[in-house]
Amino acid sequence: MVKKNLVLVGHGMVGQRFLEEFLAQPGAARDWRVTVLAEEARHAYDRVRLTSWFSGTSAEELALCGDSFVAEHGIDLRLGDPAVAVDRERRTVTTGSGQLIGYDALVLATGSYPFVPPVPGHDAPGCHVYRTLEDVAAIKEGATTARVGAVVGGGLLGLEAAGALRAMGLETHVVEFAPRLMSLQVDDGGGAALRRKIEELGVVVHTGAGTQAISTGADGRVRAMSLSDGTELAVDLVVFSAGVRPRDQLARECGLVVGERGGITVDERCRTSDPHILAIGECAQAADGRVYGLVAPGYAMAEAAARELTGEPGSFTGGDTSTKLKLLGVDVASFGDAHGSTPGALDVVYTDTRAGVYKKLVIGEDGALLGGVLVGDADAYSVLRPLAVSRRPLPAPPEQLLLPASAAGSSAVGGAALPDEALVCSCHNVSKAAIRAAVTDQGCTSVREVKACTKAGTGCGSCVKLLGGIVEEELAATGVELAPGLCEHFAHTRAELYEIVRVKGIASFSRLIDEHGTGEGCDICKPVVASILASLGNGYVLDGEQAALQDTNDHHLANLQRNGSYSVVPRIPGGEITPDGLITIGEIARDFGLYTKITGGQRIDMFGARVDQLPQIWQRLVDAGFESGHAYGKALRTVKSCVGQTWCRYGVQDSVGLAIELELRYRGLRSPHKLKAAVSGCARECAEAQGKDFGVIATAEGWNLYVGGNGGMTPRHADLLAADLDRETLIRTIDRFLMFYIRTADRLERTAPWLERLEGGLEHLREVVLEDSLGICADLDELMERHVGTYQDEWAATLADPERLRRFVSFVNAPGTPDPTVRFVPERDQIRPARPEEGGGHRVPALVAGPELEVRTR
Amino acid sequence: MTTTQDTTTAVVEIDCGKRWTPVCEYGQLIPGRGVTALVDGEQVAVFRDRAGALYAVGNTDPFSRASVISRGILGSRGDTPVVVSPMYKQAFDLRTGECLDEPETPDGSAARLRVWPVRVIA
Ligand code: SRM
Ligand SMILES: Cc1cc2nc3c(=O)[nH]c(=O)nc-3n(C[C@H](O)[C@H](O)[C@H](O)COP(=O)(O)OP(=O)(O)OC[C@H]3O[C@@H](n4cnc5c(N)ncnc54)[C@H](O)[C@@H]3O)c2cc1C
Ligand code: SF4
Ligand code: FES
C-alpha cells in the first residue's frame, strides 16, 4: 500500500503533542509518512518553562522531543526550514529552502508571535520579545551590560519576564496599559494585592500607562522610554510582552478562512475551511470562537486532530482557561468565570492586606461555584477549579473556603467533595474518574504510579496535592492494605524492630537488614534503626556503621539550616545559666559572627555556622563547660522550668532544681521522636508542663506527673498520670514511662498520639508503670540505669577523636576552604542567610558577603 | 559507577570533562555516606555504598539550592540506588541524577543532579 503524506508545519509544544498523539493511533504509522517543517532550528521544547532557563535549566532539559523519537517513528524532520507557501489546489507546501512537498493532509501548528506596539524606537537594539530560547538568550546577553529594564505588558508573561530581569539584578519596571496587572485573569482587588506584593519585591509598576516612544542614545541603543502618563524612564533594556497574535499568515495567503481578530477558523474536529488542512494550537480559532493562548487547550486540539485523521471519534469544543502560577514568588490563580460575567453571579471576597492575600469566589444564582480569583494564597485552587468547571454546588459555605487554612474548616475540602467528572489535572485533561480507574482497573498503588499511568500531575504540578488525596481515598476504598511496615525495606513496625534488636542483641544495621529486611535501606528506616540501637545503649552514635544511618543533623551534631549552614544549641539545663555562661556564649557568637536567638525552649541558639566551624565553636563551648543540647536529635530536648519556690512568692517546691535534675538524667536519651518536659513550681503553671511529653507540677505534698502533652501542630493537654508523688517515686515513674514509650511507639510518634493509640489508654499505662502489670518494670528500670550510667557528651567525645573530626570539612580535597555558597546578608545588626536571588545569581547585588561578614555592633 | 576492593591507598578520581582529578582516598569514604569534593570550581558529592560502589553527583540540591546533597542518606528504592536530600527529603537516582519524587522544582527548573564519572585508581 502506498503511504499517504502528512505534513506538519510548526514543531512547537502543540505540534509535538500532535505527533505523539497521532503516532499512538492504531494504523497511523502503517498508513502515513510524516514530514515536519520547523522554523526554529531545534526540536520542540517546553515554552511554558522558558523562564526557568534563566535560573539554570538547560535547553536540553527543556526539550520535549529527542533524536530517538524522530528516528523511531521515521519522521522526516526539517529543522530550520519553514513553510513559506501552500498550494491548496496541487496540495503542496513550499519550504524556505525551496523544496516542494506534497501532502494528503496538512496540519498547521504555527503558534503565535509576540505583538510589538508600533511605537517609535520599538526595533532599536536593546528591545526584545519573549517567546523563544533565542529571545531569552538575547535578553540575558543584554542584561550583562544593562542597569534598568522595562517590561511592556503586565500580564502573565510580562511578570515572568520582570521576575527574570529582577533576578539578573536589573532595576525593573513594568508598564501596563490596563488599570491593573494580569487584567485577563484577575479582578481589581486581585490586581491590587498582586501589585503590592510585586512592588515589595522591588519591581516598579506603572498601570494605566501606555508606552509612547522609545528613544535611543548616540550609539543607537535604547536609552529612555516615555509613557502616556508623562513619565520618562531611563532604561537600557526593553522587553515587549504585550500579548500574542496567531501566526495565520500562511493560511491567509492560501485563502483559508480566518477569524475576524485572527486565528485560522476550525471546527470541533480542528478542520479548517479546506478538508485537507487542519489547524491546532495558538494559531487556530477554536470551534467556540476563541483563540487560546494556553497550552492545555492546544493539547486537547492536538488530540482531536490526531483522532480526526485516523477516523477515531474526538473533538475540542472549548477549554478551561484557569491558570495558577507563582509569579515572582506570589501565588496567583484564576479559574472559571473569574470576572463574574454570568448573569446573576455574586461575589464572596476575603482580603488581608497585611498578608497580601486576596480571594474571591463567584457564586451562581443556584449556589454553584462559577469561578474565582486567588492571590497570595492559592492552596485551595486544586479543589475549587474542578468544582467550578463542573458547576457543582460548594461542599462548604463559601466563607469557610476562603479563610486561611489555619482557620478551621478549609481542610474539610478534599478530593472526596469532587464529582467523578471533575477535571483534576487540567494540564493533561485527567478527570477524577480516570484517576480512580488507574487505581481500581489498572492496579496503580501509589501516586507515583498514577502519575506515570495517567500523566496527571506531570505538567504544572498544581494538582499533585489533590491527586494524592484522591489516590489515597481510592486505595482505602478498594481495601488495599497499605503495608504496615516501616518502609519498602522492612515489613516490621518500629516497635517490632525494637523487640527484634533487643531480643536478638543485634548491634548493626547491616545484620538487621540482611536478616530481617531487603535492599539497602533508606532515609526512613536508617534513622529509625539508628535510634533503636542508640536507645538500647550501643554507644556513641557516630561510630562505625551507625554513622551512616544518621540524618544529617545527627551526623553533624547540629541543625541544618536553609542555606546549608548549621545552628548550635548548647544545653542549658532547666533554663538556668550563670552570667559567665551568658558571656561565654555571647563571646563565641560574636567571634564567629553567628546569629543568636533565645529559643522557645529556654536556651540560646546560634545560627550560621559552616560545617568546618562546628568543631572550633564546640571546642570553645566544651572548654567553658557546656555540652550538646541535642537540638538535632530525636532525644530529650529541654526540661523547662519556672523560677519556683526559691524566688517566686507563690512557689511551693524547687522547680528549677528538679528540672535540672531531670534534664541531666534524661539528656541524650534517644527516642522515637523528640521529648520535651517542664516543671512548674505551683499550679499557676508558668512552665507550661501540661503541654509537654512529661510535665511535673509542684503540690504542697509533692509532685503531680502529667504525660502525653504536646504543643506543635496538634496540641494536646497532658493527662494526670499520678498525683502527690515523692521525688524518688516521681523519677522512677518517669523512667518507666519513657522506656515503655521508647519500646512501643511508632517512628516519629510523639507521646501524645502514642498515648491516644495505646490500647487501654491512660489506665493501662498506669497499670504498666505503677503496678507492673506486664512484669517488665525491672527491664525498663535497668535500661534507664544503663542510659544514665553510660551517658557521655557527644561533642566532647567527638572533639577528643581526630578520626571523628574528619567529617567536619566543607571539602574533602580542600579541607581549609570554606563553602562559598553559604552566604549571609546583614539584618537588624545580625546576619541572616542570603536568599537565592541575593546569592548565587548572575549578578550579585550589594551587601552580600561570605560567612565572615562584619556586622555593625554598637 | 565503579566497584572495587577496599584498599585504603586507592584513590578516588572524578572526571570533570577535561581530566581525571583525584579527590580523596577510597578508605576515607564511609559506606553509606558522602563527602563533598571541589572539582574545577564545582561541588561534587561523592558516595560509597555498602557494597563498595562509588557514585558522584552535583552537590547542589535543586529544591533548596543549598550545597548539601553529600550530607544525605544513601539507600535504595526498588532496584534504584538513591541519595535523599537532607533538606526536604527528595530522593535522587545516583546513576542518572534524576529526582524520583518530583520532576521539577517549584520554580519550574528540572530537578536533576549532574552526574560525574568517578573511578578508583589503586
Ligand atoms: C529553635 C526553635 C525555635 C525558636 O527559635 O524558638 C525551634 C526550631 C525548630 N523546631 Fe521547634 N523549635 C523550638 C521550640 C519548639 C516548641 C516550644 C517548646 O519546646 O517549648 C515547640 C512546641 C512544643 C512541642 O514540641 O510540643 C516546637 C514544635 C516543633 C514541631 C512540632 C512538633 C509536634 O509534635 O507537632 C516541629 C516539627 C517536628 O518535630 O516534626 C519542630 C521542629 C523544629 C525544627 C527542628 C525544624 C527543622 O527541622 O529544622 C527547628 C530546628 C531548630 C534549629 O535549627 O536549631 N518544632 N518547637 C525552638 C528550639 C527550642 C530549643 O531550645 O530546643
Ligand atoms: C514565557 C512563556 C510562558 C508561558 N507560560 C505558560 C503557562 O504557564 N501556561 C500555559 O498554558 N501556557 C503558557 N505559555 C504559552 C504556551 O507556551 C503556548 O500556549 C504553547 O507553546 C502553544 O503551542 P503551539 O505549538 O501552538 O505554539 P508554539 O509553541 O509557539 O509553536 C509554534 C512553532 O511553529 C513554528 N512556526 C511558525 N510558523 C512556521 C512556519 N511557517 N513553518 C514552520 N514552522 C513555523 C514556530 O517557530 C514555533 O516553533 C507561555 C509562553 C511563553 C512564551
Ligand atoms: S508556676 Fe507558680 S511558682 Fe512557678 S513562676 Fe509561676 S507562679 Fe511562680
Ligand atoms: S493541572 Fe497542571 S499538572 Fe495537573
Side-chain angles (χ1 to χ4, degrees), chain A residues 25 267 269-271 275 278 302-314:
Chain A
Q25 299 297 319
D267 63 11
R269 310 211 50 162
C270 297
R271 292 175 295 208
L278 287 80
E303 191 180 334
R307 291 173 151 270
E308 161 65 15
L309 285 172
T310 49
E312 299 286 322

Side-chain angles (χ1 to χ4, degrees), chain A residues 176-257:
Chain A
E176 167 58 51
F177 193 70
R180 62 167 182 267
L181 294 174
M182 284 189 72
S183 55
L184 280 185
Q185 289 87 4
V186 308
D187 60 2
D188 283 336
L194 184 60
R195 176 183 187 137
R196 245 188 324 273
K197 280 258 170 179
I198 283 175
E199 284 176 340
E200 272 169 27
L201 299 166
V203 173
V204 188
V205 178
H206 311 260
T207 49
T211 305
Q212 270 186 333
I214 290 165
S215 45
T216 51
D219 58 356
R221 300 187 58 85
V222 172
R223 190 181 51 81
M225 190 165 147
S226 45
L227 307 186
S228 57
D229 65 2
T231 313
E232 188 78 18
L233 297 175
V235 300
D236 34 27
L237 187 146
V238 176
V239 179
F240 285 105
S241 179
V244 294
R245 299 284 184 270
R247 292 189 68 171
D248 53 14
Q249 186 72 14
L250 208 54
R252 282 175 194 270
E253 285 170 4
C254 70
L256 292 179
V257 177

Side-chain angles (χ1 to χ4, degrees), chain B residues 78-97:
Chain B
D79 294 331
T80 310
V82 297
V83 58
V84 177
S85 168
M87 197 64 85
Y88 301 121
K89 314 279 165 168
Q90 288 90 353
F92 296 86
D93 186 335
L94 281 167
R95 300 165 310 189
T96 63

Side-chain angles (χ1 to χ4, degrees), chain A residues 148-471:
Chain A
V148 186
V151 176
V152 178
L156 185 162
L157 290 191
L159 294 181
E160 271 197 33
L165 296 188
R166 192 73 199 115
M168 289 188 291
L170 266 61
E171 179 188 323
T172 305
H173 296 259
V174 170
V175 181
E176 167 58 51
F177 193 70
R180 62 167 182 267
L181 294 174
M182 284 189 72
S183 55
L184 280 185
Q185 289 87 4
V186 308
D187 60 2
D188 283 336
L194 184 60
R195 176 183 187 137
R196 245 188 324 273
K197 280 258 170 179
I198 283 175
E199 284 176 340
E200 272 169 27
L201 299 166
V203 173
V204 188
V205 178
H206 311 260
T207 49
T211 305
Q212 270 186 333
I214 290 165
S215 45
T216 51
D219 58 356
R221 300 187 58 85
V222 172
R223 190 181 51 81
M225 190 165 147
S226 45
L227 307 186
S228 57
D229 65 2
T231 313
E232 188 78 18
L233 297 175
V235 300
D236 34 27
L237 187 146
V238 176
V239 179
F240 285 105
S241 179
V244 294
R245 299 284 184 270
R247 292 189 68 171
D248 53 14
Q249 186 72 14
L250 208 54
R252 282 175 194 270
E253 285 170 4
C254 70
L256 292 179
V257 177
V258 296
E260 235 171 71
R261 290 161 61 205
I264 308 162
T265 311
V266 298
D267 63 11
E268 74 283 353
R269 310 211 50 162
C270 297
R271 292 175 295 208
T272 66
S273 53
D274 179 329
H276 295 283
I277 306 180
L278 287 80
I280 54 179
E282 289 195 342
C283 66
Q285 184 194 44
D288 63 352
R290 296 171 68 172
V291 177
Y292 289 93
L294 293 172
V295 75
Y299 281 176
M301 293 169 94
E303 191 180 334
R307 291 173 151 270
E308 161 65 15
L309 285 172
T310 49
E312 299 286 322
S315 66
F316 177 80
T317 50
D320 178 15
T321 52
S322 304
T323 12
K324 177 182 172 201
L325 325 142
K326 221 183 181 74
L327 287 172
L328 292 138
V330 185
D331 278 329
V332 184
S334 114
F335 55 94
D337 179 10
H339 297 289
S341 48
T342 311
L346 298 169
D347 291 351
V348 181
V349 178
Y350 168 87
T351 358
D352 180 347
T353 318
R354 293 159 312 166
V357 173
Y358 171 89
K359 304 186 198 180
K360 179 180 89 174
L361 296 186
V362 178
I363 314 286
E365 273 174 324
D366 57 353
L369 179 65
L370 300 178
V373 175
L374 308 169
V375 175
D377 169 11
D379 280 354
Y381 171 78
S382 64
V383 174
L384 294 177
R385 177 186 49 78
L387 279 174
V389 172
S390 61
R391 301 257 154 143
R392 280 298 174 120
L394 287 167
E399 61 274 16
Q400 231 179 62
L401 297 174
L402 288 180
L403 287 175
S406 59
S410 44
S411 57
V413 198
L418 294 177
D420 251 7
E421 67 275 17
L423 194 60
V424 172
C425 177
S426 59
C427 288
H428 293 287
N429 199 12
V430 185
S431 65
K432 179 175 170 188
I435 291 165
R436 295 183 49 197
V439 175
T440 47
D441 304 343
Q442 279 138 298
C444 296
T445 55
S446 68
V447 174
R448 230 184 309 157
E449 287 171 28
V450 172
K451 274 176 155 181
C453 166
T454 61
K455 281 194 170 176
T458 59
C460 68
S462 69
C463 62
V464 173
K465 209 164 148 193
L466 179 62
L467 178 70
I470 295 174
V471 171

Side-chain angles (χ1 to χ4, degrees), chain A residues 9-15 37-40 47-48 50-51 82-83 109-112 130-131 156-157 160 247 250 280-283 293-296 325:
Chain A
V9 179
H11 195 213
M13 296 189 75
V14 173
L37 299 179
E39 176 190 59
E40 293 187 69
R47 219 178 286 289
V48 171
L50 193 58
T51 303
T110 48
S112 305
Y130 200 64
R131 179 86 193 170
L156 185 162
L157 290 191
E160 271 197 33
R247 292 189 68 171
L250 208 54
I280 54 179
E282 289 195 342
C283 66
L294 293 172
V295 75
L325 325 142

Side-chain angles (χ1 to χ4, degrees), chain A residues 29-44:
Chain A
R30 186 191 59 216
D31 301 341
W32 294 85
R33 189 186 356 254
V34 181
T35 307
V36 181
L37 299 179
E39 176 190 59
E40 293 187 69
R42 56 173 91 237
H43 291 145

